[in-house]
Amino acid sequence: MGSIVRSSKFRHIFGTANKREDSFENLRISVSAWDTNFVTANPKYISVNWNAGGGGAFCIVPQTLVGKLRGEFPLFSAHSGAVLDTAFSPFDDDVVASAAEDHQVMIWRVPKDLEEREENVTEPVAVLGGHGRKVGHVVWNPVAEGVLAVSSSDNTVKIWDVSSGQVRQTLGGFKDAILSIAWNYDGSLIAATCRDKKLRIFDARTGGLLQEGSSHTGVKGSRVVWLGNQPRLVTTGFSRSSDREVYLWDAHKLEKPIVTMFIDKSSGMLMPFYDGNSNVLYVAGKGDGNIRYYEYADDQLYFLSEYASSDPQRGLGVMPRRGVDIRKCEVMRFYKVSGNSLVEPISFRVPRKSESFQADIFPPAAAGKPAMSADEYFAGKTAEPVVVSMEQVFNNGPLIVGSGAPIAGGAASAPAVPSAPAPAPAPVQAAPAASTPAPVQASAPAQAHATQQRSLGTASHQAVSNNSAEIEALRKENARLRQELETAQKQQSESETTSRATLQQLQQAEQKVQESQQNIQKLQQDLEEAANSNKSNNNEANDELEAKLKAAVGDAEALRSELQRVTGQAEEYKSKLSQAESDSLKQKESAAALQKELELAIAAANSLTAAAEKAVECIS
């Protein structure tokens, strides 16, 4: 399925990471082993789980403060246990919820003087208790204001009315720890994955279990995400043999998945993210630098491409669609947690030459306004999210919501939106009207003929100019593809060298194991001979032999320890060899794909050159 080539507007999406100076540095990111994204984002801020010495804390950094963060930047610190998850409200960019090991959820409002503030923020707006164990996930309802889903290690999910501080529903029936939760498009249902290897769908208002099915059979973690407004879900997890998998499900029947995809044998969790505006599923692996993306259509997941980096990611945050750079055709922006101190934005774009608004790839998206109140929601009202035209974001920049905030014109991150509102595209769209044929039809025949000749010459020159620009763009694309091909070939060569070195180390380790086994066998023979001799000799000789026996036993134990160490080292080398062979195969496939793209680009350049030459001949 991944090898199918099909027509798609998003087939050529590509990812670009920010430069280091345009990333967020000097952070102290949590080292918790809990499966979390570590970072969340909106058009105003990013929130990072903090590695606090005592208690729990997280840090909110304005999008404008790229580069190194000052050492004493204020933290949000009222939890007595490590913070495990944070989530910004979809309807107010200054409101954030935090979950921690102290069994509590706290609701915060970002102070206006955050950048100048010296002391920590220690007073939350609200504290939501009532959970028996640590709280692992917080997710806001996408349509109802102030409705929050919270999962806990007490094997329950509680639905909170934040404004009243009351639990309005509790979802139970889980046999083990809850691994992930997700709201559907209209916020009426919740899907959850569990360590008991079940996928469940609940009615969030009644608490009823609607569907339950057996999911991934592996013992490691699993995640779930809804596919926009479709009754479809995607889960990621592991097979019984620890293969990483992606399942596509029909929400109406969870007997078995519609699609089962094997990804690879890496050990890191797979993190799924779905963009309902482009129908593209992004799948990123923890512990590696890859982000694969697929287009969902006709109950299939069609592989588009893959972003690869040598720096592994610990987690990813996602910018809402109202915060991306529409002018640069950015359709997705991730915030990658790299190491323990860096958050790096990665921009995914669709290559387009036109500078006007691209309505076909930017349909209306969530406006950041609630469709109903919490009381209306729990009374049974159902509504889809309120949407806004992306042309508004195109004209004015990222859409800031909540606190009476207007449309923002400031930069959100390094692939920045211009600081001042860009001019409206109306003049660009109206330009062709300036050369309408009405005056030509109304003029005298001679004047009409002259006007036609001038128009023809202008059109020809314009065609040559356009072709020249396209040729230059293709030349640049050729140079880029050649460079990527050379890089892929170099990486392939390095991978093969690593494979050979690893194989040699493995052979040396196996030789050590064989030598150790021979030494142990020889010692055992000496022990048996000494024991037989010991029976017939006198007491003085017995003492001497007993000392030798003890020394021999000590040597045997030392050799056994060495054997265990070398055996473990051999297994490690075998694992490295398998990974190196897998990397080498990927590099070969990438090189072949780049070579094919290069050939297509060269052919297109030749075709445009011929067209340009023909246009020049027509003019002359």
Side-chain angles (χ1 to χ4, degrees):
M1 179 175 60
S3 62
I4 295 176
V5 177
R6 54 189 293 275
S7 176
S8 171
K9 293 177 290 188
F10 304 102
R11 180 182 171 194
H12 298 292
I13 290 178
F14 65 95
T16 305
N18 280 15
K19 295 180 180 179
R20 195 171 184 90
E21 58 267 24
D22 295 324
S23 301
F24 301 89
E25 293 188 89
N26 200 31
L27 307 175
R28 292 178 56 191
I29 302 171
S30 171
V31 294
S32 170
W34 182 254
D35 179 28
T36 179
N37 292 331
F38 292 102
V39 60
T40 55
N42 68 21
K44 288 185 71 174
Y45 311 105
I46 67 168
S47 172
V48 181
N49 298 0
W50 204 253
N51 185 12
F58 63 99
C59 184
I60 291 182
V61 184
Q63 292 277 5
T64 53
L65 289 187
V66 293
K68 290 188 176 181
L69 189 70
R70 63 180 171 91
E72 299 301 324
F73 199 79
L75 304 178
F76 290 71
S77 59
H79 287 286
S80 59
V83 172
L84 301 179
D85 194 20
T86 61
F88 284 107
S89 167
F91 311 126
D92 192 333
D93 289 336
D94 292 312
V95 173
V96 61
S98 61
E101 290 184 348
D102 61 2
H103 309 180
Q104 292 183 327
V105 172
M106 295 185 182
I107 310 299
W108 308 78
R109 178 168 288 279
V110 181
K112 294 181 179 180
D113 63 344
L114 179 65
E115 294 188 35
E116 298 79 22
R117 193 182 182 97
E118 296 293 335
E119 67 277 7
N120 290 345
V121 181
T122 58
E123 295 183 1
V125 175
V127 177
L128 310 179
H131 293 277
R133 300 183 66 183
K134 67 181 179 183
V135 181
H137 306 96
V138 284
V139 187
W140 293 93
N141 187 285
V143 298
E145 186 170 22
V147 176
L148 184 68
V150 178
S151 74
S152 169
S153 292
D154 61 9
N155 300 345
T156 64
V157 175
K158 295 186 185 297
I159 312 299
W160 288 85
D161 179 353
V162 173
S163 60
S164 66
Q166 295 179 346
V167 176
R168 301 295 291 268
Q169 191 56 257
T170 299
L171 312 181
F174 299 96
K175 303 297 191 298
D176 207 331
I178 300 166
L179 301 176
S180 70
I181 55 175
W183 292 98
N184 71 335
Y185 184 70
D186 63 10
S188 60
L189 306 177
I190 283 186
T193 58
C194 180
R195 200 171 292 281
D196 64 9
K197 305 174 186 177
K198 298 286 187 181
L199 171 63
R200 296 176 174 88
I201 299 176
F202 295 87
D203 185 315
R205 286 175 283 209
T206 66
L209 176 62
L210 303 181
Q211 293 285 333
E212 179 180 283
S214 297
S215 187
H216 304 275
T217 57
V219 297
K220 296 183 181 179
S222 176
R223 289 197 184 188
V224 62
V225 64
W226 290 85
L227 299 192
N229 59 358
Q230 303 291 324
R232 299 290 183 267
L233 307 98
V234 161
T235 59
T236 59
F238 293 83
S239 68
R240 187 173 286 104
S241 56
S242 295
D243 300 329
R244 295 202 292 189
E245 300 173 324
V246 173
Y247 286 176
L248 173 65
W249 301 85
D250 181 351
H252 297 305
K253 47 183 179 179
L254 300 183
E255 287 82 2
K256 64 177 182 179
I258 302 172
V259 174
T260 301
M261 286 198 309
F262 163 78
I263 302 301
D264 55 28
K265 288 184 174 293
S266 297
S267 59
M269 272 288 304
L270 288 175
M271 301 175 287
F273 304 91
Y274 186 71
D275 177 18
N277 296 99
S278 59
N279 294 327
V280 174
L281 173 71
Y282 297 83
V283 180
K286 279 193 174 184
D288 59 59
N290 301 325
I291 302 176
R292 302 169 176 86
Y293 33 106
Y294 307 80
E295 185 171 17
Y296 169 72
D298 304 323
D299 276 345
Q300 294 292 330
L301 294 172
Y302 296 97
F303 179 75
L304 294 175
S305 188
E306 178 179 2
Y307 170 82
S309 170
S310 58
D311 297 324
Q313 57 224 1
R314 297 181 54 211
L316 289 175
V318 178
M319 171 66 74
R321 176 57 72 99
R322 58 186 172 84
V324 300
D325 191 343
I326 307 294
R327 288 190 168 273
K328 292 186 178 179
C329 292
E330 183 184 43
V331 294
M332 177 66 86
R333 187 188 307 159
F334 287 107
Y335 290 81
K336 170 182 173 179
V337 176
S338 182
N340 298 329
S341 63
L342 176 68
V343 172
E344 175 187 58
I346 303 174
S347 175
F348 285 82
R349 299 171 181 156
V350 176
R352 292 285 175 94
K353 294 180 181 178
S354 175
E355 296 182 358
S356 61
F357 175 64
Q358 306 293 307
D360 61 322
I361 60 174
F362 291 107
K369 296 181 179 179
M372 67 185 82
S373 67
D375 289 336
E376 290 175 323
Y377 173 78
F378 288 110
K381 182 178 178 180
T382 300
E384 293 188 347
V386 178
V387 297
V388 63
S389 169
M390 286 294 97
E391 191 168 8
Q392 181 178 345
V393 179
F394 175 85
N395 292 332
N396 302 306
L399 181 61
I400 307 299
V401 298
S403 303
I407 302 290
S413 77
V417 179
S419 58
V428 177
Q429 296 172 350
S435 58
T436 54
V440 176
Q441 295 172 357
S443 61
Q447 185 178 356
H449 179 72
T451 304
Q452 278 185 332
Q453 290 299 322
R454 286 195 300 271
S455 299
L456 178 61
T458 302
S460 300
H461 281 291
Q462 185 65 34
V464 173
S465 176
N466 290 343
N467 285 334
S468 299
E470 291 180 357
I471 290 170
E472 182 62 27
L474 280 171
R475 284 174 179 164
K476 292 180 180 179
E477 179 70 8
N478 288 347
R480 184 185 69 81
L481 289 171
R482 288 182 186 277
Q483 184 177 5
E484 289 186 3
L485 180 61
E486 291 173 358
T487 302
Q489 291 172 341
K490 181 179 178 181
Q491 291 176 344
Q492 177 184 345
S493 176
E494 292 175 353
S495 179
E496 291 175 350
T497 302
T498 304
S499 297
R500 288 193 293 269
T502 305
L503 180 60
Q504 184 177 2
Q505 291 175 338
L506 178 60
Q507 292 173 347
Q508 293 174 353
E510 290 176 343
Q511 184 177 357
K512 287 184 178 180
V513 170
Q514 292 175 356
E515 291 175 356
S516 298
Q517 289 175 339
Q518 292 174 359
N519 290 336
I520 288 175
Q521 290 175 355
K522 184 176 183 301
L523 276 171
Q524 288 175 340
Q525 292 176 358
D526 292 343
L527 285 171
E528 292 175 357
E529 292 176 359
N532 293 333
S533 175
N534 185 38
K535 294 178 181 178
S536 57
N537 290 339
N538 56 26
N539 292 335
E540 183 178 354
N542 287 347
D543 294 339
E544 181 180 355
L545 282 173
E546 186 175 357
K548 289 182 178 180
L549 281 171
K550 290 181 179 179
V553 169
D555 291 341
E557 291 298 329
L559 279 171
R560 283 194 180 93
S561 299
E562 177 66 13
L563 174 61
Q564 292 176 353
R565 187 189 68 79
V566 173
T567 302
Q569 190 177 22
E571 292 299 327
E572 181 181 353
Y573 286 146
K574 286 180 181 178
S575 176
K576 288 182 178 179
L577 178 61
S578 175
Q579 182 64 37
E581 290 174 347
S582 175
D583 292 344
S584 176
L585 179 60
K586 287 182 181 179
Q587 293 297 339
K588 288 179 180 178
E589 293 174 351
S590 176
L594 285 171
Q595 183 66 39
K596 187 174 180 180
E597 286 191 28
L598 180 59
E599 293 171 355
L600 292 174
I602 292 172
N606 292 336
S607 176
L608 281 171
T609 303
E613 292 174 351
K614 187 174 180 180
V616 172
E617 291 176 1
C618 292
I619 294 171
S620 59

